[in-house]
Amino acid sequence: AAGVIQSPRHLIKEKRETATLKCYPIPRHDTVYWYQQGPGQDPQFLISFYEKMQSDKGSIPDRFSAQQFSDYHSELNMSSLELGDSALYFCASSSTDRANEKLFFGSGTQLSVL
Amino acid sequence: DQQVKQNSPSLSVQEGRISILNCDYTNSMFDYFLWYKKYPAEGPTFLISISSIKDKNEDGRFTVFLNKSAKHLSLHIVPSQPGDSAVYFCAASTLISSGSARQLTFGSGTQLTVLP
């Protein structure tokens, strides 16, 4: 079965650079979530989209922005990268149509800021 | 201020015995609770969930218990198998008021090691 696809798997950037992370949800899922997991920390909610509109915002820095496109894939744009942005970024998707409470996670993008 | 807490960072259990992972929460608005399992270099995978209207949900070797008055839930794995060795995250969910999407708040995880 198709899963949540994230790209790239690994990304190395330098301070003050920009990065774009991509997420392709499970087909027919209409909701996408982004989570950030720092080393030794639990996943922290960043932002979510429902039907291409932002539905909720968590601890996402102003330097980050995200959007969901017409094909439901989502991109997380990160600018002026800082060392503290080094983390594993997970995307998850769900289908609200089926009242499905479960989130399905991708394998994550490991971002290293040098 | 952590709304979902897993106070045991690690747990070791002998194969065949019961594993009990605990989770406490503070936000009474949470109405749905989930357990996720995570292997290294992979995203969390859904294991089992429970709605706040229930106090127990069972799926094979996995049972989740919810004590709303104590704001406590636990995951029981019986019998434990070496393949169960992973990090287990407790998560709590509440309906986002702006839409029908839900947001998960995760605990910090418990590393379960099942010894053969």
Side-chain angles (χ1 to χ4, degrees):
Chain A
V4 177
I5 306 295
Q6 287 188 249
S7 68
R9 283 300 305 270
H10 299 92
L11 190 57
I12 299 174
K13 291 284 185 178
E14 296 193 355
K15 278 170 48 178
R16 291 180 287 278
E17 286 192 320
T18 61
T20 298
L21 279 55
K22 296 185 180 182
C23 169
Y24 297 86
I26 290 173
R28 291 181 295 282
H29 278 194
D30 51 17
T31 307
V32 169
Y33 307 78
W34 285 96
Y35 283 82
Q36 175 194 57
Q37 185 177 19
Q41 298 178 4
D42 52 295
Q44 294 289 325
F45 172 70
L46 292 178
I47 195 167
S48 64
F49 293 87
Y50 168 64
E51 281 295 341
K52 292 154 276 184
M53 298 287 289
Q54 181 182 308
S55 56
D56 196 31
K57 208 169 179 180
S59 51
I60 184 169
D62 292 340
R63 299 176 288 107
F64 294 7
S65 65
Q67 61 183 124
Q68 186 178 30
F69 295 85
S70 57
D71 64 352
Y72 293 98
H73 95 272
S74 178
E75 295 184 358
L76 177 66
N77 299 295
M78 310 157 73
S79 62
S80 302
L81 286 169
E82 301 173 357
L83 296 178
D85 296 330
S86 296
L88 194 53
Y89 290 83
F90 288 110
C91 166
S93 73
S94 70
S95 169
T96 53
D97 244 5
R98 301 178 186 179
N100 189 339
E101 312 293 2
K102 297 182 293 187
L103 269 58
F104 294 83
F105 284 84
S107 298
T109 294
Q110 179 66 58
L111 173 66
S112 299
V113 182
L114 308 177
Chain B
D1 179 34
Q2 262 197 309
Q3 297 187 62
V4 178
K5 294 181 185 178
Q6 293 177 254
N7 292 318
S8 299
S10 63
L11 174 69
S12 290
V13 169
Q14 207 68 39
E15 181 179 5
R17 299 286 184 103
I18 184 171
S19 295
I20 300 177
L21 297 101
N22 293 303
C23 178
D24 297 291
Y25 63 97
T26 57
N27 188 345
S28 56
M29 296 299 291
F30 289 140
D31 59 358
Y32 203 80
F33 303 89
L34 308 92
W35 284 93
Y36 281 82
K37 178 177 174 179
K38 184 181 180 304
Y39 293 114
E42 294 183 16
T45 55
F46 170 77
L47 198 56
I48 192 169
S49 63
I50 187 166
S51 164
S52 60
I53 62 173
K54 294 187 175 182
D55 55 17
K56 178 182 174 181
N57 188 26
E58 193 172 351
D59 183 4
R61 297 185 296 114
F62 303 92
T63 304
V64 57
F65 295 92
L66 175 63
N67 182 335
K68 280 177 59 181
S69 60
K71 293 193 175 69
H72 175 84
L73 67 155
S74 60
L75 174 68
H76 293 211
I77 306 173
V78 140
S80 302
Q81 299 173 354
D84 295 330
S85 297
V87 177
Y88 288 78
F89 287 98
C90 164
S93 169
T94 184
L95 192 63
I96 297 168
S97 59
S98 57
S100 54
R102 281 183 171 261
Q103 178 193 133
L104 290 184
T105 302
F106 283 89
S108 50
T110 297
Q111 171 70 59
L112 173 66
T113 303
V114 180
L115 305 167

